[in-house]
Amino acid sequence: MARFVYRMQSVLNIKQKTEGQIKMEFASAQSELNKQLDILDNYVRRKEQYLLEAEELRNAETLDLQEILDNQYATAQMDVMINSQSRVVAQHEEIVEKIRIRLTKAIQERKMQENLRERAFADWIEEQKQEEAKENDQRTSFTYGLKQREE
């Protein structure tokens, strides 16, 4: 029996490899985004701690002016760091989104090739059935012809 050979198998293989590479790239970008989000979260928590500390310093029985000023400076620095980190996070989110779009396109292209392969396989199966039916008809005709000659 004949074997099915998809003419564009190499294209399908390339699409699968490309999709795999983009998936790896996406995972890496997502991991980096998560790291940057963790850094931002840590900055926000530190600022909250500074704000709580400022509340305690202002409510203390004796006010330590230098400690209050240091706390205000630290809080202001955390604002600067949070703003800077927010921009970094936004950049990484854009990168992840671009890669996600590329991944979506790669998946669509691979699925399209797989659908073409399935259609080609279905066509090949149909051709094989037709060939088999043709051979059966020829055998039947030949056998019938032999019986007619014998009689």
Side-chain angles (χ1 to χ4, degrees), residues 120-132:
F121 182 69
D123 290 345
W124 180 78
I125 291 288
E126 190 60 37
E127 287 174 16
Q128 293 301 310
K129 286 180 182 177
Q130 289 175 359
E131 282 292 319
E132 189 175 325

Side-chain angles (χ1 to χ4, degrees), residues 12-108:
L12 178 58
N13 292 343
I14 290 171
K15 297 292 183 191
Q16 290 170 336
K17 283 182 184 178
T18 302
E19 181 185 344
Q21 290 170 344
I22 295 174
K23 279 182 180 178
M24 296 291 284
E25 193 177 333
F26 180 77
S28 175
Q30 186 66 43
S31 173
E32 185 61 31
L33 174 62
N34 290 340
K35 287 178 189 175
Q36 297 303 323
L37 286 169
D38 287 343
I39 291 170
L40 178 61
D41 191 44
N42 286 336
Y43 289 168
V44 170
R45 276 193 252 120
R46 278 179 52 190
K47 181 182 176 187
E48 288 171 0
Q49 289 173 348
Y50 286 138
L51 292 174
L52 289 174
E53 183 180 326
E55 181 83 23
E56 291 171 5
L57 288 171
R58 288 187 184 95
N59 292 334
E61 288 182 24
T62 58
L63 295 177
D64 186 354
L65 186 59
Q66 186 60 44
E67 291 244 356
I68 292 173
L69 290 174
D70 288 346
N71 181 276
Q72 286 178 341
Y73 178 76
T75 303
Q77 285 301 312
M78 289 312 300
D79 284 336
V80 170
M81 293 171 71
I82 287 170
N83 287 336
S84 174
Q85 188 63 26
S86 293
R87 287 191 297 275
V88 170
V89 166
Q91 290 172 345
H92 283 279
E93 285 174 340
E94 286 179 25
I95 291 169
V96 167
E97 184 62 20
K98 287 177 184 176
I99 295 173
R100 187 192 63 75
I101 290 169
R102 285 181 41 221
L103 179 60
T104 301
K105 288 180 183 176
I107 289 171
Q108 288 173 346

